[in-house]
Amino acid sequence: MSLKETELLEHCQFILANRQIRNKFVILCEGEIKKTAGRLSPQSYRAMEDFPDANFYKACVPRDWRQQIPTFFNCGDRNDVLNTYFNLLRLHEDNPEASYLNPQQLFAIVDLDLQKKDLKDLDDSYPFKDLEQIFEDLYEKSLIKVNQVRQHRIWVTGLIHKESYFIFPDIQSILSEHSAVYQNSDARLENIYLDMADKIKDDADLKNNFSRVKGRISHCQNLELSEVEKLQVSWQQQYQVSHDNSQSELVLALLTIKKAKQYWLEVEPPEDYTSPPERYREQLALQIGRFYAHNSDNPSCHISHLLKLLKLELNPREQE
């Protein structure tokens, strides 16, 4: 549920008045804004460090970024993040004396998702008209286009959702190390991918946005993109016979178009884990974030690589 107009104003005013953002990059992200007694409050914001979404992004910060690391703020859903971004800029411009924000250091990252999201109705001066255009400019074949990053202050994930990074092919060892369980067996990513693919033809969002889907994965030459059912069959066939790079390309294509959250929520702790499963997944997500932090030079590790480029290209003091 999106923030009400009064809540959005309170949310923005809190961020602008927060001394912690002085001389820092501020990165807005999706995630729950906890409320106290049903409303936003200073107590809600003091609990920011307990918010799993912002904590995951913070965990992705490259290991060699030790000073003035970005401050991340949960801002609600995708619409809330974008509304917060543009309202922060307007409020700062109206009263810069009451703000600790440096507008040149304000960024937002939102899920790519499947639904179209226009930006022109929020601010017609932003150089990209919608999120899909940002995606097309920022990524190519699931890799970041390094030379394009400077043009963006609003980033989209290169995979469909943040949760897709929790089941990225390279993190199988983390799931195994922490004895993760999926559907009563050891959590194997291959099984998750096959389950996801098996539901392609039943995915209403995917069907309703199929033209967008086709554009995202058109580089996968062996996939049949004439209709949803044929996409599913061709993906399953190609996955079974492909190896190494070809199989990785198929997986990344799947994670760009098929929502992963429900499958991530089926990842469970081992039997001897005594805390709630939600806590286990939060801790696992932090371990995964740290994996990305240690691999920030890799353009396929989208979030940490974007942060790496931010550090190297936009903060000269960090290069000294």
Side-chain angles (χ1 to χ4, degrees):
M1 181 180 295
S2 295
L3 291 172
K4 300 175 183 177
E5 186 173 345
T6 54
E7 291 177 330
L8 177 63
L9 179 60
E10 291 174 4
H11 180 57
C12 291
Q13 288 174 333
F14 169 83
I15 294 174
L16 292 173
N18 191 330
R19 293 175 182 269
Q20 294 183 12
I21 71 172
R22 191 206 304 258
N23 299 324
K24 286 188 177 182
F25 289 101
V26 173
I27 303 179
L28 314 176
C29 60
E30 295 185 48
E32 180 185 1
I33 304 174
K34 294 182 181 180
K35 298 183 180 182
T36 302
R39 63 183 296 274
L40 300 177
S41 69
Q43 291 81 6
S44 302
Y45 288 101
R46 281 198 288 270
M48 179 65 74
E49 63 184 20
D50 297 323
F51 291 3
D53 298 275
N55 271 344
F56 167 69
Y57 288 111
K58 184 176 180 180
C60 291
V61 173
R63 293 297 89 189
D64 60 350
W65 195 340
R66 298 185 179 91
Q67 297 179 346
Q68 298 294 93
I69 66 171
T71 299
F72 296 85
F73 288 99
N74 281 14
C75 294
D77 61 22
R78 185 168 73 162
N79 288 335
D80 289 327
V81 174
L82 297 172
N83 283 327
T84 300
Y85 175 84
F86 289 114
N87 275 278
L88 283 174
L89 293 177
R90 294 187 190 107
L91 289 169
H92 174 87
E93 184 177 1
D94 289 344
N95 190 10
E97 293 78 12
S99 169
Y100 288 104
L101 179 70
N102 179 344
Q104 298 304 313
Q105 294 182 316
L106 177 65
F107 292 79
I109 182 167
V110 293
D111 286 343
L112 175 60
D113 219 325
L114 283 172
Q115 294 78 16
K116 183 179 180 180
K117 178 59 185 177
D118 289 326
L119 297 177
K120 292 302 182 183
D121 56 343
L122 299 176
D123 189 317
D124 59 11
S125 67
Y126 196 74
F128 297 89
K129 67 177 183 179
D130 58 43
L131 295 185
E132 198 70 20
Q133 192 177 82
I134 293 176
F135 170 74
E136 292 170 355
D137 190 71
L138 199 53
Y139 298 93
E140 183 174 12
K141 297 181 180 180
S142 298
L143 297 178
I144 293 172
K145 295 191 233 177
V146 175
N147 293 333
Q148 300 300 100
V149 172
R150 282 183 176 271
Q151 302 183 62
H152 297 271
R153 290 295 182 272
I154 297 174
W155 298 333
V156 296
T157 54
L159 305 179
I160 190 169
H161 280 165
K162 176 184 87 274
E163 288 79 9
S164 300
Y165 294 96
F166 301 162
I167 57 171
F168 191 75
D170 291 348
I171 59 91
Q172 176 63 66
S173 61
I174 299 177
L175 298 181
S176 300
E177 179 184 347
H178 291 82
S179 304
V181 174
Y182 175 75
Q183 296 184 348
N184 300 317
S185 299
D186 292 345
R188 302 297 304 173
L189 290 175
E190 180 178 16
N191 295 334
I192 297 178
Y193 301 149
L194 292 173
D195 285 349
M196 292 174 67
D198 193 50
K199 298 298 183 182
I200 286 177
K201 62 180 172 52
D202 301 318
D203 190 321
D205 273 346
L206 201 154
K207 286 183 177 180
N208 294 335
N209 296 280
F210 194 53
S211 61
R212 197 166 296 117
V213 165
K214 290 190 292 185
R216 291 181 188 175
I217 61 175
S218 59
H219 60 279
C220 299
Q221 298 181 354
N222 293 321
L223 292 181
E224 174 54 67
L225 300 178
S226 60
E227 55 187 69
V228 173
E229 290 77 8
K230 290 183 178 180
L231 168 59
Q232 174 173 317
V233 171
S234 64
W235 191 97
Q236 291 168 322
Q237 290 174 341
Q238 291 300 318
Y239 187 78
Q240 295 297 338
V241 301
S242 297
H243 301 282
D244 301 330
N245 291 340
S246 296
Q247 196 169 65
S248 294
E249 182 181 77
L250 289 167
V251 169
L252 293 177
L254 180 69
L255 296 178
T256 307
I257 63 172
K258 185 77 176 77
K259 295 178 180 179
K261 186 172 183 177
Q262 70 181 83
Y263 302 93
W264 169 247
L265 293 178
E266 292 186 57
V267 174
E268 301 279 347
E271 288 186 4
D272 59 354
Y273 188 82
T274 56
S275 297
E278 294 79 9
R279 182 59 177 163
Y280 172 80
R281 283 189 290 270
E282 289 174 11
Q283 293 173 335
L284 198 56
L286 291 180
Q287 291 296 324
I288 293 168
R290 294 182 185 114
F291 163 82
Y292 289 125
H294 284 287
N295 290 275
S296 59
D297 289 332
N298 187 344
S300 69
C301 296
H302 301 150
I303 297 168
S304 59
H305 194 62
L306 283 169
L307 293 170
K308 180 81 169 183
L309 296 173
L310 180 66
K311 172 182 180 289
L312 293 178
E313 298 185 24
L314 299 175
N315 192 351
R317 288 181 298 176
E318 286 289 330
Q319 299 184 57
E320 295 177 358

